[in-house]
Amino acid sequence: MDRQVVWGFLGAAGIAEKNWASVQRSGNGILKFVGSRDVAKAQAFIDRCQASAPFEKAPEAVEGYEEILADPEIDAVYIPLPTGLRKDWVIRAAEAGKHVLCEKPCAPKAADLEEMIAACEANQVQFMDGVMFMHNPRLSEIVKVVEKGDELGKLRRIESCFSFFGEDDFSDNIRVNSKLEPLGALGDLGWYCVRMSLCCCEGDLPVRVRATLFEEKNGVPVDLRGDLIFSDSRTASFHCSFNTTLEQSCRISGTKGALTLDDFVLPCDNQKAAFTIERQEEVGEGSNFSTRSLNREVELTGEAESQKTLLFRNFGKLVLRGERDSYWPEISLLTQRVMDALLESALGDGGMVELD
Amino acid sequence: MDRQVVWGFLGAAGIAEKNWASVQRSGNGILKFVGSRDVAKAQAFIDRCQASAPFEKAPEAVEGYEEILADPEIDAVYIPLPTGLRKDWVIRAAEAGKHVLCEKPCAPKAADLEEMIAACEANQVQFMDGVMFMHNPRLSEIVKVVEKGDELGKLRRIESCFSFFGEDDFSDNIRVNSKLEPLGALGDLGWYCVRMSLCCCEGDLPVRVRATLFEEKNGVPVDLRGDLIFSDSRTASFHCSFNTTLEQSCRISGTKGALTLDDFVLPCDNQKAAFTIERQEEVGEGSNFSTRSLNREVELTGEAESQKTLLFRNFGKLVLRGERDSYWPEISLLTQRVMDALLESALGDGGMVELD
């Protein structure tokens, strides 16, 4: 067997359950440890996951995370801890020489993330955030369409939304705990909208942003709109909310056409990854423009594997090659800087906040 | 033949060409006059329209509009003049006892529209604006779905956009002439977005609004986002632009589901009027929510006639019955008041503007 990346999970959260299967399917990784403050919780997690997606050798449950970082066999750690706790453990993992796959939002503030990334760089380990759609081949196809421009024309606008409805007992949820998840819906959901916008704008930072806070709970945004103003007449807006039904649509519009996808975060179907391009036929005088649009369904079949598997496989490839790719920490930091500015606007008077 | 509404058009603008055919197909109206400052222009307009949708007796071209208002046979006038010129002619038409179908935005300011409507009321004539989708049976079906709530849950959000791309020579277009069309894209396109939001909110006014001006030309908004905050956690946002390809989509979201239509202003197909309802299956713990949505395509076949024909037919019915319906001036005025507040925000610092 080829050499495998040996993983440890710092935490047994719900999201880690999904990612257990991703490591298992990655083909280049094995999971050695699952750590939790409560070892019984880690063991129960392992039993549950092992029943549905078993590793040849069942991972071990450990109490806390130190033992994982101390183990010389461990190459990489996945950190699904709450945002408020990530900084410390990312830095300790880096100092222990472990590569770090970190859930998003990576940190409460960009300044925290800068320290985290600096620690990874000083210790020559890879940093990457857990945005799965970055690894979907659909994204690179979309970016190609945007950059090529023959179908969409000049990029003008990215409009996206990501929301789900939290039931009445939602105010006890960790997602609205101001210590653990201070960015609330902005970090949990808006992170994807901002990232998608940055990807369409080739990683340019917006010149300025503003946010309208529609609702907060426990001092945490739960329903918010953001506007990002880039150079060259490009703008992006998004809505993220725990108050509205599940939505995850994105529309990328240019001067000549628009590209839409209704499942930009979590594709509805892992076997294909479609998007639609509509182009206006013509605009006549007065209000006599034609409204028939020319739809083009683009179905990508290429790599028929889920983006969550590709996230772990791609990370694993870097580790096994002994390469580090600076794109990943850079795009996380840009995203986090936009978060800072949006939160400043949202918690202030909703005015424009400049980025530099 | 049953009695017909006798129409006069005050202006021979591009949009009137579309509405010529609507009168012709309405079944209850005939067009007697087309007025223009340049009588030759009116005659050319008549010749062109008569060739494609002929009235039994060709309408007469007249210079100016006075002769139309003075003619005792005229029941109703359609006013497609530029926004900056409408007030005077609406009031003069009302004083001449003519019912008024007025293009939108009805006026530069709500105060102007109040005077216009007061003149119509004083003279007991019907006032209605030219928003065609108000007459599409699809709209009442949508409003029923929103009000019933069993599929969408509690209404939370209306997100809409209406844009088209004006070519390079667009800065000479009347749409960005600050005297004639001072509301620019907000009036030309945003009017529909605001109206749709008001319809979904049962005519409630937003409590406050704000707008982000992305670009202006000649002091006129050409690219703008608006946010409307209603009571009961309902919000609406929209984008209107002359800088982006043709888009006219609307998404109405509740706590349980979302209704989408991609052609809310001008239906792509006059034979059917579809919309889609999506409902999330379930949201599990962690990030394990299911993203499969349950789509329901609702195709309305009922009245297989275009909304633009229904606009003129419905107006004609009121005239022929000798009835006046106060809903129409009221909804125009509410829309115009939201326009005032949005424009104040857009041309100011983009802050919140309260409505009362």
Side-chain angles (χ1 to χ4, degrees):
Chain A
M1 191 166 84
D2 291 338
R3 191 167 103 64
Q4 304 277 297
V5 174
V6 182
W7 286 91
F9 279 11
L10 307 197
I15 190 171
E17 206 157 331
K18 179 188 267 189
N19 286 325
W20 165 298
S22 303
V23 176
Q24 202 266 352
R25 289 183 194 129
S26 68
N28 63 6
I30 52 167
L31 180 59
K32 183 171 182 187
F33 292 120
V34 174
S36 174
R37 279 173 304 172
D38 175 359
V39 69
K41 194 182 160 208
Q43 189 58 56
F45 172 87
I46 289 168
D47 294 344
R48 213 162 48 240
C49 292
Q50 191 70 0
S52 64
F55 285 95
E56 207 168 275
K57 179 163 184 280
E60 293 170 45
V62 293
E63 185 177 321
Y65 317 120
E66 268 100 351
E67 191 178 334
I68 301 177
L69 300 186
D71 189 296
E73 270 192 0
I74 292 288
D75 298 302
V77 292
Y78 168 62
I79 301 189
L81 292 166
T83 305
L85 307 180
R86 281 176 198 148
K87 180 178 170 180
D88 190 32
W89 288 104
V90 167
I91 292 174
R92 291 172 72 167
E95 288 171 350
K98 309 306 183 194
H99 301 281
V100 178
L101 182 55
C102 177
E103 259 316 317
K104 36 57 56 187
C106 299
K109 292 280 178 193
D112 300 311
L113 182 54
E114 278 170 12
E115 287 181 58
M116 293 150 71
I117 290 172
C120 290
E121 283 176 6
N123 293 283
Q124 296 188 42
V125 296
Q126 179 70 48
F127 180 90
M128 189 187 282
D129 72 28
V131 179
M132 295 168 180
F133 72 61
M134 299 296 287
H135 302 271
N136 192 321
R138 176 168 68 170
L139 180 66
S140 37
E141 287 302 313
I142 290 170
V143 171
K144 258 186 244 167
V145 169
V146 171
E147 288 178 358
K148 207 170 165 201
D150 55 341
E151 296 186 280
L152 302 188
K154 284 187 73 170
L155 178 65
R156 283 293 155 85
R157 184 153 184 79
I158 305 118
E159 176 82 45
S160 57
C161 62
F162 191 19
S163 62
F164 66 86
F165 181 63
E167 299 294 335
D168 292 342
D169 58 357
F170 198 72
S171 36
D172 303 327
N173 193 292
I174 181 184
R175 287 186 164 93
V176 291
N177 178 316
S178 62
K179 287 250 166 52
L180 295 176
E181 296 296 346
L183 298 171
L186 177 61
D188 195 32
L189 307 175
W191 182 274
Y192 295 98
C193 300
V194 169
R195 173 64 59 83
M196 191 68 184
S197 305
L198 294 176
C199 288
C200 291
C201 291
E202 305 175 62
D204 287 355
L205 263 189
V207 179
R208 52 187 175 279
V209 305
R210 71 184 306 187
T212 304
L213 183 62
F214 291 141
E215 194 176 322
E216 52 99 16
K217 268 198 178 80
N218 313 332
V220 160
V222 299
D223 192 355
L224 177 141
R225 274 200 44 75
D227 292 305
L228 283 60
I229 300 178
F230 293 86
S231 60
D232 295 329
S233 299
R234 295 169 301 174
T235 63
S237 298
F238 68 91
H239 177 237
C240 58
S241 175
F242 297 142
N243 286 346
T244 311
T245 187
L246 181 60
E247 297 187 297
Q248 49 152 340
S249 75
C250 179
R251 184 173 184 94
I252 302 158
S253 311
T255 51
K256 298 199 297 190
L259 186 158
T260 56
L261 51 171
D262 289 334
D263 59 352
F264 86 99
V265 182
L266 298 162
C268 294
D269 185 339
N270 283 321
Q271 299 311 305
K272 61 183 183 187
F275 54 85
T276 303
I277 293 176
E278 291 165 79
R279 296 184 57 182
Q280 71 186 31
E281 269 193 316
E282 65 180 76
V283 174
E285 278 309 299
S287 287
N288 293 317
F289 43 57
S290 164
T291 55
R292 263 202 300 159
S293 52
L294 309 170
N295 285 310
R296 189 167 73 88
E297 286 271 348
V298 179
E299 292 206 353
L300 302 167
T301 43
E303 204 157 356
E305 293 181 80
S306 76
Q307 59 185 26
K308 64 186 181 184
T309 302
L310 292 173
L311 164 64
F312 280 82
R313 183 179 301 154
N314 291 342
F315 189 97
K317 280 180 186 171
L318 286 173
V319 170
L320 292 173
R321 284 192 207 125
E323 283 173 14
R324 283 188 301 134
D325 186 343
S326 64
Y327 173 76
W328 298 108
E330 281 162 12
I331 195 76
S332 298
L333 187 57
L334 292 181
T335 312
Q336 194 86 49
R337 289 182 61 199
V338 176
M339 292 280 122
D340 273 16
L342 285 166
L343 199 66
E344 181 186 335
S345 177
L347 301 181
D349 62 356
M352 285 292 175
V353 174
E354 308 282 327
L355 283 99
D356 50 33
Chain B
M1 190 166 82
D2 290 338
R3 191 167 101 64
Q4 303 279 296
V5 175
V6 182
W7 286 91
F9 279 13
L10 307 197
I15 190 169
E17 207 158 329
K18 177 188 268 187
N19 286 326
W20 165 298
S22 303
V23 177
Q24 202 266 355
R25 290 183 193 130
S26 69
N28 64 5
I30 53 168
L31 180 58
K32 184 173 181 186
F33 292 121
V34 174
S36 173
R37 280 173 304 170
D38 175 0
V39 69
K41 193 183 160 206
Q43 190 58 56
F45 172 87
I46 290 169
D47 294 344
R48 214 161 48 239
C49 292
Q50 191 69 0
S52 65
F55 286 96
E56 207 169 278
K57 181 163 180 278
E60 293 169 47
V62 292
E63 186 178 322
Y65 317 119
E66 268 99 353
E67 193 177 334
I68 302 176
L69 299 187
D71 188 299
E73 271 191 3
I74 291 289
D75 298 301
V77 292
Y78 167 62
I79 301 190
L81 292 167
T83 306
L85 306 178
R86 281 176 198 149
K87 179 178 173 180
D88 189 34
W89 289 103
V90 167
I91 292 175
R92 290 172 73 168
E95 288 171 352
K98 310 306 183 194
H99 301 281
V100 177
L101 182 54
C102 178
E103 261 314 319
K104 37 56 55 184
C106 299
K109 292 278 176 194
D112 300 310
L113 182 54
E114 278 170 11
E115 286 183 58
M116 292 151 69
I117 290 171
C120 290
E121 284 176 5
N123 292 284
Q124 298 187 42
V125 296
Q126 178 70 47
F127 180 90
M128 187 186 283
D129 71 29
V131 179
M132 295 167 181
F133 73 62
M134 299 296 287
H135 303 271
N136 191 322
R138 176 169 67 170
L139 180 66
S140 37
E141 287 302 312
I142 289 170
V143 170
K144 257 185 246 165
V145 169
V146 171
E147 288 177 358
K148 207 169 166 202
D150 56 341
E151 296 185 280
L152 303 187
K154 286 188 71 172
L155 178 64
R156 283 291 156 89
R157 181 151 185 79
I158 306 117
E159 175 82 45
S160 58
C161 62
F162 192 19
S163 61
F164 68 84
F165 181 63
E167 298 294 336
D168 292 342
D169 58 357
F170 197 72
S171 37
D172 302 327
N173 193 292
I174 183 183
R175 287 184 164 93
V176 291
N177 177 316
S178 62
K179 286 247 165 53
L180 295 175
E181 296 297 347
L183 299 171
L186 177 62
D188 194 32
L189 308 175
W191 183 274
Y192 295 99
C193 299
V194 169
R195 174 63 57 83
M196 190 69 186
S197 305
L198 294 175
C199 289
C200 292
C201 291
E202 303 176 63
D204 287 354
L205 263 190
V207 179
R208 51 188 177 280
V209 305
R210 73 185 307 189
T212 304
L213 184 61
F214 290 141
E215 194 176 323
E216 53 98 15
K217 268 196 177 80
N218 314 331
V220 160
V222 300
D223 192 355
L224 178 141
R225 274 202 43 77
D227 292 306
L228 283 59
I229 300 177
F230 294 84
S231 59
D232 295 331
S233 300
R234 297 170 299 173
T235 63
S237 297
F238 68 90
H239 176 237
C240 58
S241 174
F242 296 144
N243 286 346
T244 310
T245 190
L246 182 61
E247 295 187 297
Q248 48 153 340
S249 74
C250 179
R251 185 173 184 94
I252 302 158
S253 311
T255 51
K256 297 199 298 189
L259 186 158
T260 57
L261 51 171
D262 290 334
D263 59 352
F264 86 99
V265 182
L266 299 162
C268 293
D269 185 338
N270 282 321
Q271 300 309 305
K272 61 182 184 188
F275 55 84
T276 303
I277 293 175
E278 290 164 80
R279 297 183 58 181
Q280 71 186 31
E281 270 192 316
E282 66 180 78
V283 174
E285 279 309 298
S287 288
N288 293 318
F289 41 60
S290 164
T291 55
R292 263 204 299 160
S293 52
L294 308 169
N295 284 311
R296 189 167 72 89
E297 286 273 347
V298 180
E299 291 207 354
L300 303 166
T301 43
E303 203 157 358
E305 293 182 80
S306 77
Q307 60 186 27
K308 65 187 180 182
T309 301
L310 292 172
L311 164 65
F312 279 82
R313 183 180 300 155
N314 290 344
F315 189 96
K317 280 179 184 170
L318 287 171
V319 170
L320 292 172
R321 284 191 206 125
E323 284 172 12
R324 282 187 302 134
D325 185 343
S326 64
Y327 173 75
W328 297 110
E330 281 162 12
I331 195 76
S332 297
L333 188 57
L334 292 182
T335 312
Q336 194 88 48
R337 288 181 63 197
V338 177
M339 291 279 124
D340 274 16
L342 285 166
L343 198 65
E344 181 186 336
S345 177
L347 301 181
D349 62 355
M352 285 293 177
V353 174
E354 308 283 326
L355 281 100
D356 50 32

